[in-house]
Amino acid sequence: MAETAKTAVLQEETRIFNTPQWIIEHSNSFQWMKKKGFKTEMEMRAWCSENYVDFWDEMAQSYADWYKPYDQILDDSKNPYFKWFLGGKINVAYNAVDRHAKSWRKNKVAYYFEGEPVGDKKAITYYELYRAVNKMANGLKSLGVEKGDRVSVYLPMIPELPITMLACAKIGAIHSVVFSGFSAGGLNSRVTDAESKVVVTSDGFYRRGKPLPLKPNVDTAVQDAPSVKNVVVVKRTGVATDMVEGRDIWYQDLVAAQSDECVTEELDPEDRLFILYTSGTTGKPKGIEHAHGGYSVAPAYTTAWALDVQEDDVFWCTADAGWITGHSYVIYGPLCLGATSILYEGSPDFPNLGRWWSIIEEYGVSVFYTAPTAIRMFMKAGDQWPAKYNLKCVRILASVGEPLNPEAYMWFRKNIGADQAPIIDTWWQTETGCHVIAPLPMTPEKPGSVAFPLPGFNTDIFDEEANSVPLGYGGNIVQKTPWPSMLRAFYKDEIRYKKEYWEMYWDVKPGTYLAGDKATRDKDGYWWIQGRIDDVLKVAGHRISNAEVESAAVSHPKVAEAAVIGKPDEVKGETIVAFVIVKEGVEETEDLKKEVAKHVRTVLGPVAYPESVYFVKDVPKTRSGKIMRRVVKAKALGKPVGDTSALANPESVEMIPLIG
Ligand code: PRX
C-alpha cells in the first residue's frame, strides 16, 4: 500500500466523450442542477458533498414516503455506529410496492419477466406485485415468521425472488439472499450464521436450455442447520423433488391459501432490512447488515441520478439478485421509483449470443446496466450479434463490479450505445449499498475512469498517514462522512465491523471508512480504480474470498494445504488457480487435480470453481503461518516477488511453478 501511495501514476487515456445535449437536458440530475441554480456540475457536486446532511435530507424527502417524519437526520454520536432518520417510521416495501399499487401506477408494469426458455414471459404490474407480496407475507407469517426473524432466500432470477424479499421487508423479517450459484456448503454457512427460520428455494431453474435441480442443495445445507423450521419450494421446472414431511411446503400451496391483503409494518428506519454475506479476507463470509430507512432513499436516488431512470424508461440491470447489485438496482432502487424493469432468468448466450440484444429490442430497453465481464464476452464473440437487432431505444449504458477497460468501453459505446449513450461506470460495494463514484449523464467521460464521487459523498484517497494524496498519486479509497445506505454492522459481530472498516485511520481521523480499494486521480481530477488492497477475488464480477476457496479445497480428504490466487483473464477479469499440497503418501495425479476442482465446486458452488490446480510441496508463509498469496501470485505469473524477508520458508518461492 505504501508503494502505491508514493507512486505517481500517469494516466494515458486522453479521449473524452461528451454526451449529446438532448440526453443531458433530459436527465434527472441536470434538471435538479438547473432548478437549484448551480452553474456547473462540479459546483453542484461540491455543494452536495459539503452539505451532505442537508442533501440526504432532501433526497429522503424526495424519494421516500414516511409513515412518520424523522426528527433527526443523522446521529453520529456513536461513531462508527451511525444512525439515520431518527424518530421516523418507514418501510421500504411500502415505498417499493404499496404506494404505487394505490396510485395511477397500479397497472404500470413493474417487471417484464423473461424466463430462459424462449417464449416464457410474463408482465407483472405493480398491483399484481402488491397482491403477490401480500400473499407471500401472509404465508411467511403462517409459518411463524415474525419481525426480526431471518429468512434465507436461495432462488434463481424468477419473480418469486423479489416477491419473497419484499414479503420479508413488509413484515419486518430480515432477508438473507444467497446466490443460487453457491452450492450446499456455501448455503449452509450462510444459513447457520444467520440462524434462519425459513429457507425459500425452487425445485430447479433453467440454464442453457436445461432444467437443473436446486432443492437437493438445500436438503444437504439444512441437515445441520437446526434453526430452519421450514423450506418453501417454488415449483419452477417440475423436476422430481423430494419433500420432507412437516418441513417442506410448495410455495404455490403456501400462498394459495392466503389473503391478498397484509398490513405493512411501520418500522424504525434503523430496523434491519437484510443481511447479505460477502467475502472478506478470512474464510468466514461477512454478514453485511442494511437498514430500511437508508435503503428507501439511496438506491432510488442513484437509480434516478446516475442511471437516470425515468418514469417512461424500461430499465434492465442484468445482475442476479443474489448479489448487492440485484438488491439495489433490480429490486429496491427501480421499484422505489415506480419504474419498469426487466427480470431475466437465464444466461446471456442462450439459445445464442443474440439473446440479450433481442430482449433490449423487444421491450425497448432504454437504460441498460451490466458488468465488464459480460461486455468482454460479447466483444470477443463479435459485432455481428448486436448488429442483428434494433438497439436505437438505448439512451443510457452503465457498468459495475470491476474496472471497465477502455477497449471494452469503446466496444460497448459503439455497438450497444450507437456511439452516443453515456456509459455510467459505477464504483461501489456491498457495504455502500449504492453507487459512490460515477459519472452523471452530463459528465464528459474518459474511457476506463469512474469520474468523480457522487453528490452527497465525501470520498477521498488517503495515504498511510491519512493525508489526501495529490492528483496523480494513488492510495486508499476512504469515505470521510457517513451516508444513508451504509452498512450498519456485521451480523452478530460489531467488533469485526469496526476493526475491518474503521480502525485504519481511527487514531488520526476517527470516522474514516476504509473501502479496501486503491485508486488514483489524474491531472483533471478523474478517478481511476486500481483494485483491492486485500485478498479478495473478482471472478466474472463475483466477489469470492481466496480463503473460502482454500478452506473448501482443504476439506478434500487428500489435501493438506492450499493457496488460491486470481489469474488475470481477458473475459472474466480473473480466474481461480489453486496450489495444493497433498497429504503424506498421496499420489499427485491429473485425476486428483480434477477431483479437487470438482470438490470445491461441490462445496462452494460453480461460482468458485478453480480453472486450474497445481501440486506444490510448500507455499510461502509468514512466521505466524499466514500464506503470502502476493508472493505466490507474483512467482506464478513471472513477476518480481518483492521483499521476501518476512517469510518463514523463503525456499518455497522457487517451488511455485510459472502458470503462463
Ligand atoms: O473492488 C471494487 C469492485 O468490486 C468491489 C465490491 O464488490 P461487491 O461488494 O461484490 O460489489 C460489487 C457491485 C457493487 C469493490 O471493492 N468494483 C465495484 N465496482 C467497480 C469496481 N472496480 C472497478 N470499477 C467499478 N466500477
Side-chain angles (χ1 to χ4, degrees), residues 278 323-325 369 399-404 425-431 437 450 515-517 529 531-532 538 541-543:
T278 189
W323 304 96
I324 196 70
T325 307
Y369 189 23
S399 167
V400 61
E402 46 175 327
L404 179 64
D425 184 351
T426 60
W427 179 91
W428 61 294
Q429 312 175 292
T430 303
E431 292 87 341
I437 314 173
V450 289
D517 275 33
I529 306 296
R532 302 279 311 179
K538 268 287 169 147
H542 298 146
R543 181 165 158 184

Side-chain angles (χ1 to χ4, degrees), residues 140 145-153 164-178 190-191 194-200 267 270-277 287-292 327 332 491-492:
L140 289 171
V145 176
E146 293 174 359
K147 182 179 168 207
D149 285 343
R150 276 81 53 214
V151 173
S152 290
V153 186
T164 303
M165 292 164 75
L166 292 158
C168 291
K170 177 152 212 157
I171 61 173
I174 300 169
H175 59 71
S176 167
V177 183
V178 180
R190 287 157 175 82
V191 170
E195 296 170 307
S196 293
K197 227 181 201 176
V198 170
V199 179
V200 183
L267 299 172
E270 283 300 313
D271 277 337
R272 301 303 189 241
L273 168 62
F274 66 84
I275 303 169
L276 184 59
Y277 286 89
I288 305 286
E289 292 186 52
H290 281 286
H292 269 262
H327 281 60
Y332 293 112
Y491 188 61
K492 292 191 297 199

Side-chain angles (χ1 to χ4, degrees), residues 25-42:
E25 278 171 21
H26 180 260
S27 69
N28 290 317
S29 54
F30 185 83
Q31 285 174 16
W32 191 87
M33 182 176 94
K34 288 282 131 194
K35 191 175 87 187
K36 295 282 170 174
F38 293 109
K39 292 204 182 50
T40 64
E41 172 188 357
M42 294 326 262

